[in-house]
Amino acid sequence: MPLDRAEALNSMGFAKPPSETRVVVAMSGGVDSSVVAAQLAEEGYDVVGVTLQLYDHGAALAKKGACCAGLDIHDARRVAEEMGFPHYVLDYENIFRDAVIDEFADSYLAGATPVPCIRCNERVKFKDLLQTAKDLDADCMATGHYIQRMMGEKGPELHQAADSNRDQSYFLFSTTKDQLDYLRFPLGHLPSKNATRELASRYGLAVADKPDSQDICFVPNGNYASVIEKLRPGAADPGEIVHVDGRVLGTHDGVIHYTIGQRRGLGIGGLSEPLFVVKLDVENRRVIVGPKEMLSTRTVPVREINWLGDQPLMSQPEWHVSVKVRSTRPPRDAIIRPISATEAEVELIVAEEGVSPGQACVFYETGGSRILGGGWIWRG
């Protein structure tokens, strides 16, 4: 039986007028979240903007391409003033340091290649901020992420963004089913980032031409090593560069300056074959190098799995899916063999290079857009 006018769902999925629907918008100060807030305000929703100050406000004032500090907080506040809705800034520096930055440093020092943006979404934005939204009696929380929430037979599902070049599903695999029930992603259906900027111009937002953030917010210019040295003094102790056959080829100024798969900047020129970093022996301060073929692997151990499938992960001995082991790579065919509800071995049908502990392995429906979850690669 069709819904009458009074029962029709609004664009956020609620059977009431937008004016009676409170939406907390997570505002980073960038163009994406600003457009979400402006669009919902224009549609008549009861919008409340919330920005998290995640790290040192003063140190970030002049940093371009950051978020959640300094000028970006100012930009978020200005959008709220222009569009006429309340805006709050919450000091989450201590939470962010404990939940994201410290683990990033420790993981990097252990020879992993961490992805702190995923932990930030998981432990800060979609946990503490989401709880804040509920405390404000919001019906839902909206963000500027490029990903889609679609209703399926068994509730809301997570799907890739319409624009594959902007898709952020790799960074959102740990979104739980309960969180997905409360979250909204109004930009996920847009065909391109240009469409977002056109909306920003239409709303008259000063951030319409603001550049996208490129680096991890607390890592200026992508220089991980310098940040680790500040967080963990003495982390850059020198050591040996060793070939897999045992030959000592040179010395280095700290394991933290190297990543799995690295070829350039090894400082061991004059060799007949190109060599790559294949392992980081942190305990013995050794950088292990070898030929490119040693970077290839088909077996990927994964733990801390967040499963979003309709049936429990352990309900089948194996799942034929597609997976991403790096954010910049397309999904590739694979088989998941569950060990427990949160741990599995993933077999890649075609071997991939540079699979590194600390990165995420994200599961996708083969031939479709649905995200089935994912986990953390935990050993090489």
Side-chain angles (χ1 to χ4, degrees), residues 17-155:
S19 60
E20 297 176 12
T21 306
R22 176 167 292 176
V23 184
V24 163
V25 179
M27 300 182 68
S28 67
V31 64
D32 299 324
S33 57
S34 296
V35 164
V36 168
Q39 183 177 43
L40 294 177
E42 186 187 65
E43 292 177 7
Y45 285 95
D46 178 11
V47 173
V48 178
V50 177
T51 299
L52 302 181
Q53 181 183 318
L54 297 182
Y55 58 102
D56 185 67
H57 190 127
L61 276 172
K63 181 182 181 303
K64 295 181 179 180
C67 71
C68 307
L71 293 174
D72 292 289
I73 292 175
H74 170 74
D75 287 342
R77 183 180 291 116
R78 183 167 56 170
V79 169
E81 290 174 353
E82 291 171 354
M83 299 303 299
F85 59 82
H87 174 257
Y88 301 99
V89 178
L90 305 181
D91 183 353
Y92 271 46
E93 283 192 33
N94 290 337
I95 293 173
F96 186 64
R97 184 178 62 247
D98 294 343
V100 179
I101 296 180
D102 283 345
E103 184 190 84
F104 168 83
D106 293 338
S107 180
Y108 205 89
L109 283 175
T113 308
V115 190
C117 296
I118 297 176
R119 289 301 196 192
C120 182
N121 289 326
E122 173 188 325
R123 297 176 174 177
V124 181
K125 293 178 181 176
F126 289 177
K127 182 183 176 186
D128 295 304
L129 178 55
L130 191 144
Q131 184 56 52
T132 297
K134 291 182 177 180
D135 292 342
L136 290 170
D137 294 324
D139 294 281
C140 61
M141 186 174 91
T143 80
H145 289 105
Y146 286 87
I147 196 166
Q148 298 188 82
R149 175 188 183 273
M150 298 181 180
M151 291 304 297
E153 292 183 3
K154 297 196 174 183

Side-chain angles (χ1 to χ4, degrees), residues 235-264:
D237 292 337
E240 297 176 331
I241 299 175
V242 182
H243 195 282
V244 288
D245 64 11
R247 287 178 290 152
V248 176
L249 303 179
T251 59
H252 62 77
D253 295 325
V255 172
I256 61 172
H257 296 287
Y258 298 85
T259 57
I260 302 296
Q262 180 177 335
R263 178 185 176 186
R264 297 179 183 275

Side-chain angles (χ1 to χ4, degrees), residues 108 111-113 240-244 249 251-252 254-268 271 273-282 285-296 326 329 352-357 380:
Y108 205 89
T113 308
E240 297 176 331
I241 299 175
V242 182
H243 195 282
V244 288
L249 303 179
T251 59
H252 62 77
V255 172
I256 61 172
H257 296 287
Y258 298 85
T259 57
I260 302 296
Q262 180 177 335
R263 178 185 176 186
R264 297 179 183 275
L266 300 182
I268 50 172
L271 299 171
E273 62 174 338
L275 296 176
F276 299 78
V277 177
V278 298
K279 183 180 179 182
L280 297 174
D281 182 354
V282 177
R285 301 198 303 276
R286 286 185 161 190
V287 174
I288 312 298
V289 297
K292 187 176 183 180
E293 54 264 27
M294 292 197 68
L295 292 171
S296 295
R326 292 272 186 172
R329 298 179 183 176
E352 292 212 37
E353 296 176 356
V355 176
S356 176

Side-chain angles (χ1 to χ4, degrees), residues 125-198:
K125 293 178 181 176
F126 289 177
K127 182 183 176 186
D128 295 304
L129 178 55
L130 191 144
Q131 184 56 52
T132 297
K134 291 182 177 180
D135 292 342
L136 290 170
D137 294 324
D139 294 281
C140 61
M141 186 174 91
T143 80
H145 289 105
Y146 286 87
I147 196 166
Q148 298 188 82
R149 175 188 183 273
M150 298 181 180
M151 291 304 297
E153 292 183 3
K154 297 196 174 183
E157 301 172 351
L158 205 58
H159 287 255
Q160 292 173 282
D163 178 7
S164 59
N165 292 321
R166 302 297 304 180
D167 176 60
Q168 293 176 291
S169 58
Y170 184 85
F171 301 98
L172 295 168
F173 79 84
S174 60
T175 305
T176 67
K177 291 183 178 180
D178 286 343
Q179 291 168 346
L180 188 57
D181 192 52
Y182 193 72
L183 290 164
R184 302 293 187 274
F185 309 106
L187 302 184
H189 70 286
L190 295 181
S192 69
K193 181 60 178 259
N194 287 337
T196 305
R197 294 196 182 279
E198 287 170 5

Side-chain angles (χ1 to χ4, degrees), residues 307 319-323 332-336 363-364 366 372:
W307 180 249
W319 298 82
H320 290 255
V321 298
S322 297
V323 304
R332 305 282 175 82
D333 289 345
I335 300 171
I336 303 172
F363 313 146
Y364 297 84
T366 299
L372 297 173

